[in-house]
Coordinates of all heavy atoms in Angstrom, one line a residue:
S215 N 5.4 -19.8 -7.9 CA 5.2 -20.7 -6.7 C 5.8 -20.0 -5.5 O 5.4 -20.3 -4.4 CB 5.9 -22.0 -6.9 OG 7.3 -21.9 -7.2
T241 N 19.0 10.0 -2.5 CA 17.5 10.3 -2.3 C 17.3 11.7 -1.8 O 16.1 12.1 -1.7 CB 17.0 9.3 -1.2 OG1 17.7 9.4 0.0 CG2 17.0 7.9 -1.8
L249 N 9.6 13.0 -7.9 CA 9.1 11.8 -8.7 C 8.7 10.7 -7.8 O 7.7 10.0 -8.1 CB 10.3 11.4 -9.6 CG 10.6 12.3 -10.8 CD1 11.8 11.8 -11.5 CD2 9.4 12.5 -11.8
G253 N 5.1 8.8 -7.4 CA 4.9 7.4 -7.4 C 4.1 6.9 -6.2 O 3.3 6.1 -6.3
V260 N -3.9 3.4 -6.6 CA -4.2 2.1 -7.1 C -4.6 1.1 -6.0 O -5.5 0.3 -6.1 CB -2.9 1.5 -7.9 CG1 -3.2 0.0 -8.3 CG2 -2.7 2.3 -9.1
V278 N -18.9 -9.6 10.0 CA -17.9 -10.5 10.5 C -16.5 -9.9 10.3 O -15.7 -10.0 11.2 CB -18.0 -11.9 9.7 CG1 -16.9 -12.8 10.1 CG2 -19.4 -12.5 10.0
L301 N 11.2 -1.5 24.4 CA 12.3 -1.0 23.7 C 12.6 0.5 24.0 O 13.6 1.0 23.6 CB 12.2 -1.3 22.2 CG 12.2 -2.7 21.8 CD1 12.0 -2.8 20.3 CD2 13.4 -3.5 22.2
Y309 N 3.4 1.4 16.1 CA 3.5 0.0 16.0 C 2.1 -0.7 16.0 O 1.9 -1.7 15.4 CB 4.3 -0.6 17.2 CG 5.7 0.0 17.3 CD1 6.4 0.0 18.5 CD2 6.3 0.6 16.2 CE1 7.7 0.5 18.6 CE2 7.6 1.1 16.3 CZ 8.3 1.1 17.5 OH 9.6 1.6 17.7
V335 N -13.9 -16.6 2.6 CA -13.2 -15.7 1.7 C -13.8 -14.3 1.7 O -13.1 -13.3 1.7 CB -13.1 -16.3 0.3 CG1 -12.3 -15.3 -0.6 CG2 -12.4 -17.6 0.3
D346 N -7.4 -2.1 6.1 CA -6.6 -1.3 5.2 C -7.0 0.2 5.3 O -6.2 1.1 5.5 CB -6.7 -1.8 3.8 CG -5.5 -1.4 2.9 OD1 -4.6 -0.7 3.4 OD2 -5.5 -1.7 1.7
F404 N -7.7 9.7 -27.0 CA -7.4 10.9 -26.3 C -6.9 10.6 -24.8 O -6.3 11.4 -24.2 CB -8.6 11.7 -26.2 CG -8.9 12.5 -27.4 CD1 -10.2 13.0 -27.6 CD2 -8.0 12.7 -28.4 CE1 -10.5 13.7 -28.8 CE2 -8.3 13.4 -29.6 CZ -9.5 13.9 -29.8
L406 N -8.7 10.5 -22.2 CA -9.3 11.5 -21.4 C -9.5 11.0 -19.9 O -9.3 11.8 -19.0 CB -10.6 11.9 -22.0 CG -10.5 12.7 -23.3 CD1 -11.9 13.0 -23.9 CD2 -9.7 14.0 -23.2
E407 N -10.0 9.8 -19.7 CA -10.3 9.3 -18.4 C -9.0 9.3 -17.6 O -9.0 9.6 -16.4 CB -10.9 8.0 -18.5 CG -12.3 8.0 -19.0 CD -12.8 6.7 -19.5 OE1 -12.1 6.0 -20.3 OE2 -13.9 6.3 -19.1
H426 N -1.4 19.9 5.4 CA -0.4 19.2 6.2 C -0.8 17.8 6.5 O -0.6 17.3 7.6 CB -0.1 20.0 7.5 CG 0.3 21.4 7.3 ND1 1.5 21.8 6.9 CD2 -0.5 22.5 7.5 CE1 1.6 23.1 6.9 NE2 0.4 23.6 7.2
V427 N -1.3 17.1 5.5 CA -1.7 15.7 5.6 C -0.8 15.0 4.5 O -0.5 15.5 3.5 CB -3.2 15.5 5.3 CG1 -3.5 14.0 5.3 CG2 -4.0 16.2 6.4
L431 N -2.9 9.6 2.2 CA -4.4 9.7 2.4 C -5.1 10.2 1.2 O -6.1 9.7 0.8 CB -4.7 10.5 3.6 CG -6.2 10.6 4.0 CD1 -6.7 9.2 4.3 CD2 -6.3 11.5 5.2
E445 N -14.1 1.2 -11.5 CA -13.0 1.7 -12.4 C -13.1 1.1 -13.8 O -13.1 -0.2 -13.9 CB -11.6 1.4 -11.8 CG -10.5 1.9 -12.6 CD -9.1 1.5 -11.9 OE1 -9.1 0.5 -11.3 OE2 -8.2 2.3 -12.1
N474 N 18.8 2.8 5.3 CA 20.2 2.6 5.6 C 20.4 1.4 6.6 O 20.2 1.6 7.8 CB 20.8 3.8 6.2 CG 22.4 3.7 6.4 OD1 23.0 2.7 6.1 ND2 23.0 4.8 6.9
L475 N 20.6 0.2 6.0 CA 20.7 -1.0 6.9 C 22.0 -1.0 7.7 O 22.1 -1.8 8.6 CB 20.6 -2.2 6.0 CG 19.3 -2.4 5.1 CD1 19.3 -3.7 4.5 CD2 18.1 -2.2 6.0
E477 N 22.7 1.0 9.8 CA 22.3 1.5 11.1 C 21.9 0.3 12.0 O 21.9 0.4 13.3 CB 21.1 2.4 11.0 CG 21.4 3.7 10.4 CD 20.2 4.6 10.1 OE1 19.1 4.0 9.9 OE2 20.4 5.8 10.0
Q507 N -11.9 -18.1 12.1 CA -11.2 -17.9 10.9 C -10.1 -18.9 10.7 O -9.3 -19.1 11.7 CB -10.6 -16.5 10.8 CG -9.9 -16.1 9.5 CD -9.5 -14.7 9.4 OE1 -8.8 -14.2 10.3 NE2 -9.9 -14.0 8.3
F511 N -5.9 -18.1 6.6 CA -6.6 -16.8 6.2 C -6.1 -15.7 7.2 O -6.0 -14.6 6.8 CB -8.1 -16.9 6.2 CG -8.7 -17.7 5.1 CD1 -7.8 -18.3 4.1 CD2 -10.0 -17.7 4.9 CE1 -8.4 -18.9 3.0 CE2 -10.6 -18.4 3.7 CZ -9.7 -19.0 2.8
A558 N -0.3 -18.8 1.5 CA -0.8 -19.0 0.2 C -0.4 -20.4 -0.4 O -1.2 -21.1 -1.0 CB -0.4 -17.9 -0.7
V567 N -5.4 -30.8 -3.1 CA -5.7 -32.1 -2.5 C -7.2 -32.2 -2.5 O -7.8 -33.3 -2.8 CB -5.2 -32.1 -1.1 CG1 -5.7 -33.4 -0.4 CG2 -3.6 -32.2 -1.1

Side-chain angles (χ1 to χ4, degrees):
S215 60
T241 56
L249 289 173
V260 173
V278 176
L301 296 178
Y309 301 161
V335 176
D346 202 1
F404 285 161
L406 293 176
E407 292 162 305
H426 306 283
V427 176
L431 184 58
E445 184 182 29
N474 188 357
L475 300 186
E477 293 171 335
Q507 185 172 52
F511 284 8
V567 171

